[in-house]
């Protein structure tokens, strides 16, 4: 059964005067789109408005996004100062992002770096990973480690070096390791909740205002396979 985030069940991982970090559920849309569904950004605004009894409009800046079928850490800025500085941290790659993924096939090596050139197809909203540079492609790099062998699947820990459209999904598909439930990238059947087994597990960065180091970890979804990891 799929549970969408609301102001009453929001999973807040960190909150201060400048930032709020939440654990996104499957199906949560980070930012409004053509579906017209209420995005997570609006849910967080409602939560803040009620919690702090704020009159008028609540400021909330979207720092980054996660794909709709993905779960895990999403950071929002509560002040314009924090938004500007967080945008800089992300664009300068001064954050350490760790993901967990459950894949169908065992990668050739227990750990490796993957480097591809990703070309985005706007029509069907996918990215294709190429081994050599092609026109309009962008360099994509990550490293993975197998952290657990399950009965039918393999759990990987992934560190992103770049932040490209559908990067992890496309790069793992390119080595014949599609993510569980990811029909778009070659997995053979969907998950019951419509999500995929890709979770933004950990984010490490320096707080944009206090300058204190922050390390945030998101609990995995309540799911048999995730719990086995």
């Amino acid at each position: 059964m799929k549970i969408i985030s609301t102001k009453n069940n929001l999973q807040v991982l960190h909150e201060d005067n400048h930032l709020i970090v939440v654990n996104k559920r499957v199906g949560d849309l980070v930012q409004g789109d053509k579906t017209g569904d209420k995005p997570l950004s609006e849910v967080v605004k409602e939560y803040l408005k009620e919690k702090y009894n704020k009159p008028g409009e609540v400021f909330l800046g979207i720092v980054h996004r996660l794909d709709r079928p993905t779960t895990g850490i999403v950071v929002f800025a509560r002040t314009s100062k924090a938004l500007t500085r967080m945008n800089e941290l992300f664009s300068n790659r001064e954050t350490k992002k760790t993901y967990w993924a459950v894949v169908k096939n065992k990668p050739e090596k227990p750990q490796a770096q993957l480097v591809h050139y990703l070309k985005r197809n706007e029509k069907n909203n996918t990215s294709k990973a190429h081994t050599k540079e092609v026109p309009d492609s962008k360099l994509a790099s990550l490293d993975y480690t197998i952290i657990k062998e399950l009965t039918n699947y393999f759990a990987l820990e992934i560190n992103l070096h770049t932040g490209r459209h559908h990067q992890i999904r496309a790069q793992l598909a390119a080595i014949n390791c599609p993510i569980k439930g990811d029909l778009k990238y070659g997995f053979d059947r969907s998950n019951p909740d419509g999500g995929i087994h890709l979770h933004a597990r950990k984010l490490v960065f320096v707080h944009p205002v206090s300058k204190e180091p922050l390390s945030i970890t998101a609990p995995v979804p309540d799911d048999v396979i995730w719990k086995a990891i």
Side-chain angles (χ1 to χ4, degrees):
M1 161 107 177
K2 187 159 81 176
I3 301 167
I4 297 287
S5 295
T6 68
K7 65 176 187 198
N8 300 318
N9 70 7
L10 197 63
Q11 299 179 66
V12 178
L13 303 172
H14 173 87
E15 187 179 340
D16 61 45
N17 290 336
H18 296 278
L19 300 175
I20 180 164
V21 184
V22 301
N23 192 7
K24 175 185 152 352
R25 293 178 166 95
V26 164
D28 286 344
L29 183 66
V30 174
Q31 187 177 26
D33 69 0
K34 59 181 184 291
T35 61
D37 296 344
K38 183 191 281 188
L40 193 55
S41 54
E42 287 304 313
V43 173
V44 175
K45 280 184 183 180
E46 288 174 1
Y47 163 85
L48 292 169
K49 191 174 175 71
E50 188 173 283
K51 181 172 180 179
Y52 298 104
N53 198 18
K54 282 181 173 283
E57 189 69 17
V58 173
F59 176 88
L60 193 76
I62 296 168
V63 175
H64 65 125
R65 294 157 191 76
L66 285 182
D67 300 337
R68 195 162 189 175
T70 305
T71 56
I73 294 171
V74 180
V75 181
F76 296 99
R78 294 187 56 197
T79 60
S80 54
K81 179 157 97 173
L83 178 61
T84 303
R85 291 185 183 174
M86 285 305 295
N87 284 339
E88 285 170 5
L89 286 179
F90 272 80
S91 64
N92 296 336
R93 299 179 195 162
E94 291 171 34
T95 59
K96 186 172 189 294
K97 303 178 204 168
T98 304
Y99 286 76
W100 281 2
V102 176
V103 300
K104 183 180 182 176
N105 302 316
K106 186 175 185 175
E108 274 184 27
K109 297 174 181 170
Q111 58 190 104
Q113 183 177 355
L114 302 182
V115 178
H116 291 96
Y117 291 89
L118 293 194
K119 183 163 181 174
R120 186 168 180 175
N121 182 331
E122 298 282 354
K123 265 191 193 153
N124 61 13
N125 191 33
T126 59
S127 285
K128 184 166 174 55
H130 298 267
T131 51
K132 295 197 170 80
E133 192 168 4
V134 297
D136 302 320
S137 64
K138 290 180 175 172
L139 180 70
S141 170
L142 60 79
D143 62 67
Y144 73 80
T145 305
I146 299 173
I147 52 171
K148 188 133 190 192
E149 295 196 17
L150 305 165
T151 311
N152 298 308
Y153 303 103
F154 298 87
L156 310 181
E157 183 166 281
I158 294 145
N159 290 305
L160 273 183
H161 308 149
T162 52
R164 306 299 185 201
H165 175 258
H166 289 185
Q167 179 177 339
I168 297 172
R169 298 166 69 178
Q171 286 197 272
L172 290 180
I175 61 162
N176 195 30
C177 294
I179 294 169
K180 184 179 182 303
D182 199 356
L183 295 178
K184 200 171 246 193
Y185 286 94
F187 199 81
D188 52 8
R189 62 187 183 280
S190 59
N191 287 341
D193 63 4
I196 63 174
H197 274 72
L198 178 62
H199 182 66
R201 173 68 172 168
K202 191 174 181 185
L203 184 65
V204 179
F205 60 97
V206 172
H207 191 284
V209 181
S210 73
K211 304 301 180 190
E212 293 292 318
L214 262 184
S215 177
I216 297 164
T217 302
V220 292
D222 187 12
D223 159 282
V224 177
I225 291 173
W226 280 128
K227 294 296 183 195
I229 303 168

